[in-house]
Amino acid sequence: MRDVSKLFPMGPKPVEKKITVLTCYDFMFARILEESGVDCLLVGDTLGVVYQGQPTTLPVTLDEMIYHAKAVRRGAPNTFVVVDLPFLSYQVSLEEGIRSAGKVMKESGCDAVKFEGGGPEILELIYKLERIGIPVMGHIGLTPQSVNVFGGHKIQGKAEEDKARLISEAKGISDAGAFSIVFELIPSALAKEISESVPIPTIGIGAGAATDGQVLVIYDFLGLNKGFKPKFLKTFLNGYDDVSSAVKSYIQEVRNGSFPGPEHSH
């Protein structure tokens, strides 16, 4: 197991080096990301949307998460890998949450688990897991498994009572023993305030630049998710058009007989 304290050090802010995180769901991308030097791979339940084509993350199962996590581990054997616990794999009871986290760790070979929320039951689960040797990354702000409660993907923490709740949740998650927290869709000023109030590293997505690191969904990052253009997203490749152009070239060359040529034939 990789040393969590080296990548996610506790202590005075800001951290010495910003932490880079990308989601990953398969062997090929995992190999590319490891060789490119990404600090941490998140096998996110976002795979339900961007990989499976589901409308939300809610249908994803624990076994599906483990399946993808095993592929990612094979592709990135030396990179820190975190795996999401999916909807209803940890909320029903403390015992079920412990079993789900343990199953993911045992079967996938990952380094840590992540789950959403900061209520009393979640804090108790973090506390228990930390003490049996399972590192936990927290997640507050927009928590996609609660999308039906929030009424969609909306910025969290605008109202004063919501700000106070998020600050309290972050401190509770840190005190319970988590090694890091993801902030999703939180105003940048609030994310900065919360990040400075907790000793553990914070990872932002749609939370501004003041967090200790950033995470993006790989298909969004590569411009493969056509039409998805939230304000927080920067695409680093025009992936959809590039892949589409390559496919069209393949179709044309097969149909006109230029592929395969002599150099591709035995």
Side-chain angles (χ1 to χ4, degrees), residues 83-105:
V83 179
D84 270 341
L85 295 187
F87 182 60
L88 285 187
S89 69
Y90 61 95
Q91 295 100 329
V92 174
S93 68
L94 177 64
E95 291 76 16
E96 186 167 357
I98 293 172
R99 279 195 294 269
S100 294
K103 181 178 173 69
V104 168
M105 296 290 288

Side-chain angles (χ1 to χ4, degrees), residues 115-131:
F115 45 86
E116 301 175 359
E121 298 86 358
I122 295 298
L123 300 185
E124 185 180 8
L125 178 57
I126 294 172
Y127 179 86
K128 291 287 188 182
L129 291 177
E130 195 275 334
R131 274 148 187 78

Side-chain angles (χ1 to χ4, degrees), residues 130-211:
E130 195 275 334
R131 274 148 187 78
I132 62 176
I134 298 179
V136 176
M137 176 181 279
H139 185 152
I140 63 172
L142 189 281
T143 46
Q145 292 177 16
S146 304
V147 66
N148 292 326
V149 175
F150 293 139
H153 291 78
K154 301 177 181 179
I155 296 174
Q156 305 297 306
K158 288 185 173 182
E160 287 302 319
E161 61 268 26
D162 291 332
K163 291 180 182 179
R165 174 180 56 81
L166 291 172
I167 292 171
S168 175
E169 287 182 351
K171 290 181 177 178
I173 289 169
S174 176
D175 291 344
F179 67 87
S180 178
I181 312 174
V182 170
F183 296 168
E184 182 168 357
L185 286 185
I186 295 176
S188 56
L190 177 59
K192 182 176 186 295
E193 179 182 351
I194 301 174
S195 187
E196 291 174 348
S197 72
V198 295
I200 60 176
T202 57
I203 306 297
I205 177 168
T211 53

Side-chain angles (χ1 to χ4, degrees), residues 29 219 221-226 235-251:
F29 270 127
Y219 294 115
F221 158 86
L222 293 175
L224 291 165
N225 193 356
K226 186 178 182 181
T235 55
F236 289 76
L237 186 73
N238 192 13
Y240 187 94
D241 289 342
D242 288 347
V243 172
S244 178
S245 177
V247 172
K248 290 174 182 177
S249 295
Y250 166 76
I251 292 169

Side-chain angles (χ1 to χ4, degrees), residues 11-125:
K13 300 296 184 78
V15 298
E16 183 178 345
K17 182 179 70 172
K18 293 278 189 175
I19 301 165
T20 58
V21 186
L22 285 170
T23 68
C24 191
Y25 319 108
D26 64 79
F27 171 86
M28 288 291 185
F29 270 127
R31 185 169 64 179
I32 293 171
L33 296 180
E34 174 162 289
E35 292 178 356
S36 300
V38 174
D39 293 317
C40 174
L41 302 183
L42 171 62
V43 185
D45 59 0
T46 44
L47 68 87
V49 177
V50 298
Y51 192 92
Q52 297 178 343
Q54 305 280 6
T56 70
T57 64
L58 301 184
V60 179
T61 68
L62 188 67
D63 285 340
E64 287 171 340
M65 293 303 305
I66 292 170
Y67 172 87
H68 286 274
K70 289 164 73 173
V72 170
R73 173 49 80 212
R74 286 191 288 268
N78 302 307
T79 303
F80 195 88
V81 175
V82 181
V83 179
D84 270 341
L85 295 187
F87 182 60
L88 285 187
S89 69
Y90 61 95
Q91 295 100 329
V92 174
S93 68
L94 177 64
E95 291 76 16
E96 186 167 357
I98 293 172
R99 279 195 294 269
S100 294
K103 181 178 173 69
V104 168
M105 296 290 288
K106 287 179 66 174
E107 296 186 17
S108 74
C110 71
D111 300 290
V113 297
K114 180 177 81 64
F115 45 86
E116 301 175 359
E121 298 86 358
I122 295 298
L123 300 185
E124 185 180 8
L125 178 57

